[in-house]
Amino acid sequence: MIRSAFNRGWEVRPRSGPFAEFMGPPDPYVEVTLPHDAMLARERSPGGTATLGFFPEGAYEYRKTFHVPEEYRGKRVAIEFEGVYRGAMVYINDEFAGQRPFGYSAFVVPADNFLRYGEDNEVRVECRTHHDSRWYSGAGIYRDVHLAVGNMTRIPLDGVRVTTPDVDTDQAVVVVATLVEHDGPTRTTVDVVTEIRDAAGAVVATDRSVASVFPGEPATVRQRLYVKRPELWSVDTPVLYTATVALRDGSGEVDRDQAVFGVRTLRLDVDHGLRINGVPVKLRGACVHHDNGVIGAATIARAEERRVQLLKDAGFNAVRSAHNPLSRAMLDACDRVGMLVLDEAFDMWTHNKTDGDYGLDFPTWWERDLEAMVRKDANHPSVVMYSIGNEILELGNPSGAAWARRLAEKVRALDDTRYVTNGVNLMLPFLKEVVAMVNDGAPAQAQHANLNAMMAAMDDAVNTVSASEMVTTRTAEAFAVLDVAGMNYADSRYELDRELFPNRIIVGSETVAKKIDTNWRLVLDNSHVLGDFTWTGWDYLGEPGLGMVGYADRITAETSPAQFLLLTARAGDIDITGHRRPASYYREIVFGLRKDPYIAVQPPSGYGRETVSGPWAWTDTVSSWTWDHPAGSPVKVEVYSDADEVEILCNGDVVGKAPAGELHRFRAEFDTTYHPGELIAVAYKDGVEQGRHRLATATGPLALVADVDRATLRADDTDLAYVALTLTDADGNVHRDRDRQVAVRVTGPAVLQGLGSADPLTREPFTADTHTTYEGRALAVIRPTGPGEITVTATAADCHDATVTVQAE
């Protein structure tokens, strides 16, 4: 079947049932281009759902009118939805045509029985969100939609599967398995012609097979092709091939499809860990949620590509989807950029975590949703593991272990070329025991001065319980069904299990940034530990305030997150606009990928005050030497470095020296005073300068600067231009303490897709054309609507206008 884009020409409105319309006219439809997030434009309020960032729950309906030509009669026509959140109900010409409860699965709706040929037709999609997610889910048709048309004899969607079972330096065996369907009255015979092309487009292997296909009995045509001197796919060399399959009969070509793939091998054992093409690879991993920051849940291809590239630039080589299957667009980006993927299926099985979540549908839909995930993932070389769940509540009992076995074996039956894991939080099945331990260590009557101790006690209790005999015994079966034991916050088991379970291979499927140095040492020292996935690599909407740092003297019984309308988790190495935070540079140093030191400064206003934060928070620091405080104000400076010693200088004067490196957790701290000017950190290894980092105070007039990520775009709805808006001085130093409201105007064939900042407390929407900077920064996202020149102009008080121009081609 041939896919064509089906994203344009849609309309959306809040759903209006037939009886509701007796009470008054429904809201008007609004034109949109998919992918689209219907929740993002809703007004946030304390009455909204806290886990969603205080957005309201709701129901929505989309519709699109499209012409079906007469020549489609006698063909197969379907509509493919890559993701609708959630509880999708699809109607064609007002007749029920299909549904999908899960918000993260791709699904296909056969349309033949409902179409009027030679006429206009209408497709309508209803969906709804309620208290069904622990993070910002978005709402609506938030991933791509395709119209698929095929002949009676055809390759179904995702009907070409490619594997590389035998690879060496001389040649690779490439097995192309093509599913052929036939709905004619009698059997048919077709030639199956396959070509493999390299990255330059040259044909490197071909094959032709004959297949007889009977009505209603799909045939799998399996061809073995041989690629000489293959270029191998890896994180460092993400080389891709394309397999094109054509079906031909006496009348000519009847269908065609292609699959992009990589040639690579995977091996797994306790002595070498994970090997790709025979080379051991440690996973420098980032957990990522599915939203795209200021454009919400809309899964536009360029947004996914940019996110993958920025994560790789920050030192990560792997992502774990949290906690749902990744989009096709993000998998495509991981293939091209060179990013390994741990793709995760579910956040719950038979026990609900929220009132209306997927647990209500899991018992009847889990197999179809696993099939959808594997069908999507199977040809992507970036995917090395499937995760069947995250922090599943029932894993501590035999029923939960039985479910784990069912899911693991289902995945293996669908794809035995990857490994199966499960992100297991060993605290959750034993929550009563953990609470008792925390209460013993931190009395309930503790005052605010004890909050950090309580958080530390919780963190210690999780690790203590995880390493207990009770957990060892009661999770043995659930771990035994896996190829890789995924452990969330259970680093205490890494070395313990080397002795207790000598054949167990572990991945740190979820860990906290504060412990990356000690966790990474465990990864390096233990071959059976494959890597570490931090929570999180990229900040996200919802779970508001998870990583916030507060001050004990400001916390009172009257304050609550609802009063502040917290929006983001504030837990990522990279904020929702794509700007790297201090934890990101610290991690890069721990990974051994950065030799220059990095300076992070705690606000002078917080000096000497007790901070309050949870395990997922970093210190309250920014990399700036621009503060709205008088000279001489006390301040704490953190310098991250793997060198032996770090020296800092302020305006040329030595402030002090302190040891750094791994023995000191890659961190040197200095109590000093703020003096505007220049702050420099110099790192020394064996007495020789290894690198330096410089911060300078922003001075003088305020300038608004606009920088666009690319000068040329594709003139279609899959591309975006990212315009970084920054308040600086004449030398480019950021004025982090002089925030302004910025207005953005777009002229030419484009629209403003989103405008926002990384402020976790903002009350401003991302759908307006004005937004206030946060620490001197904001981000505008531009979506082309056709070819031509696009001009973006930003204005702010006390600044000259900033303008950038891009070309859509």
Side-chain angles (χ1 to χ4, degrees), residues 15 54 150 172 287 295 344 402 434 473 477 494 500 563 694 745 776 791-792:
R15 182 181 179 277
F54 298 96
C287 297
I295 65 171
E344 194 154 82
V434 174
T473 301
E477 183 180 3
Y494 293 1
L500 294 179
Q563 290 178 280
R694 174 183 178 273
R745 184 176 73 256
T791 301
V792 182

Side-chain angles (χ1 to χ4, degrees), residues 588-741:
E588 191 178 15
I589 289 167
V590 171
F591 285 155
L593 303 175
R594 177 187 172 97
K595 290 303 176 185
D596 287 334
Y598 187 81
I599 305 171
V601 183
Q602 298 183 20
S605 60
Y607 186 82
R609 297 165 64 192
E610 180 190 354
T611 59
V612 177
S613 61
W616 298 275
W618 193 248
T619 55
D620 186 22
T621 54
V622 294
S623 188
S624 176
W625 199 236
T626 302
W627 301 97
D628 188 18
H629 286 267
S633 298
V635 65
K636 183 179 287 290
V637 176
E638 300 176 5
V639 181
Y640 313 140
S641 176
D642 67 350
D644 303 328
E645 187 178 46
V646 171
E647 178 182 64
I648 63 170
L649 303 92
C650 183
N651 298 325
D653 296 328
V654 175
V655 173
K657 291 185 178 181
E662 185 171 8
L663 292 178
H664 298 275
R665 303 199 66 184
F666 300 96
R667 186 194 306 258
E669 295 186 352
F670 301 87
D671 287 288
T672 184
T673 52
Y674 171 61
H675 294 278
E678 180 182 68
L679 185 70
I680 295 176
V682 184
Y684 295 95
K685 185 82 168 181
D686 297 326
V688 178
E689 181 177 329
Q690 175 176 284
R692 60 176 56 203
H693 185 210
R694 174 183 178 273
L695 299 177
T697 304
T699 59
L702 194 66
L704 176 61
V705 178
D707 287 310
V708 66
D709 61 337
R710 292 174 303 148
T712 304
L713 308 177
R714 297 184 305 275
D716 62 41
D717 50 49
T718 68
D719 210 352
L720 299 168
Y722 282 81
V723 182
L725 304 170
T726 314
L727 299 172
T728 75
D729 66 7
D731 295 323
N733 300 307
V734 178
H735 274 290
R736 61 164 303 282
D737 56 351
R738 296 176 63 182
D739 285 314
R740 295 288 189 275
Q741 187 178 76

Side-chain angles (χ1 to χ4, degrees), residues 151 153 188-191 247-255:
N151 292 310
T153 305
T188 188
T189 300
V190 293
D191 287 340
L247 303 185
R248 296 174 183 168
D249 63 12
S251 65
E253 185 172 292
V254 297
D255 203 3

Side-chain angles (χ1 to χ4, degrees), residues 133-149:
S133 179
R134 299 187 297 113
W135 54 84
Y136 179 84
S137 60
I141 309 177
Y142 72 100
R143 289 180 177 171
D144 287 321
V145 181
H146 309 275
L147 184 69
V149 180

Side-chain angles (χ1 to χ4, degrees), residues 44-47 53-54 544 560-567 760-763:
R44 300 166 63 231
S45 72
F54 298 96
S560 71
Q563 290 178 280
F564 300 108
L565 290 183
L566 284 162
L567 176 59
L761 294 171
T762 184
R763 291 175 178 261

Side-chain angles (χ1 to χ4, degrees), residues 321-477:
S321 63
H323 304 286
N324 45 261
L326 286 180
S327 68
R328 291 181 190 271
M330 194 159 188
L331 291 175
D332 289 341
C334 290
D335 290 344
R336 292 192 302 268
V337 171
M339 181 72 77
L340 302 173
V341 174
L342 192 166
D343 207 6
E344 194 154 82
F346 309 119
D347 187 49
M348 73 293 293
W349 295 347
T350 59
H351 289 202
N352 296 91
K353 292 181 178 177
T354 58
D355 294 340
D357 64 27
Y358 176 71
L360 300 172
D361 304 299
F362 173 87
T364 53
W365 281 89
W366 68 272
E367 288 189 274
R368 282 168 285 186
D369 288 323
L370 281 183
E371 289 165 358
M373 180 179 76
V374 174
R375 185 167 57 245
K376 169 180 59 65
D377 289 15
N379 292 326
H380 291 279
S382 55
V383 178
V384 295
M385 273 186 275
Y386 297 112
S387 171
I388 56 176
N390 168 69
E391 299 188 340
I392 301 302
L393 300 176
E394 56 265 45
L395 275 184
N397 60 55
S399 177
W403 272 110
R405 181 173 288 105
R406 291 186 193 106
L407 270 70
E409 290 306 313
K410 177 66 176 181
V411 169
R412 292 183 180 111
L414 296 167
D415 182 1
D416 63 359
T417 69
R418 271 89 171 188
Y419 306 114
V420 179
T421 187
N422 190 0
V424 180
N425 186 321
L426 297 167
M427 175 192 76
L428 292 180
F430 315 102
L431 195 57
K432 291 181 180 179
E433 291 88 340
V434 174
V435 170
M437 294 181 67
V438 171
N439 288 339
D440 288 342
Q445 68 269 22
Q447 300 300 309
H448 297 305
N450 299 113
L451 286 174
N452 282 330
M454 293 176 67
M455 290 294 186
M458 173 65 78
D459 196 29
D460 291 342
V462 170
N463 246 331
T464 300
V465 171
S466 296
S468 68
E469 175 61 28
M470 171 186 64
V471 167
T472 299
T473 301
R474 289 171 59 181
T475 61
E477 183 180 3

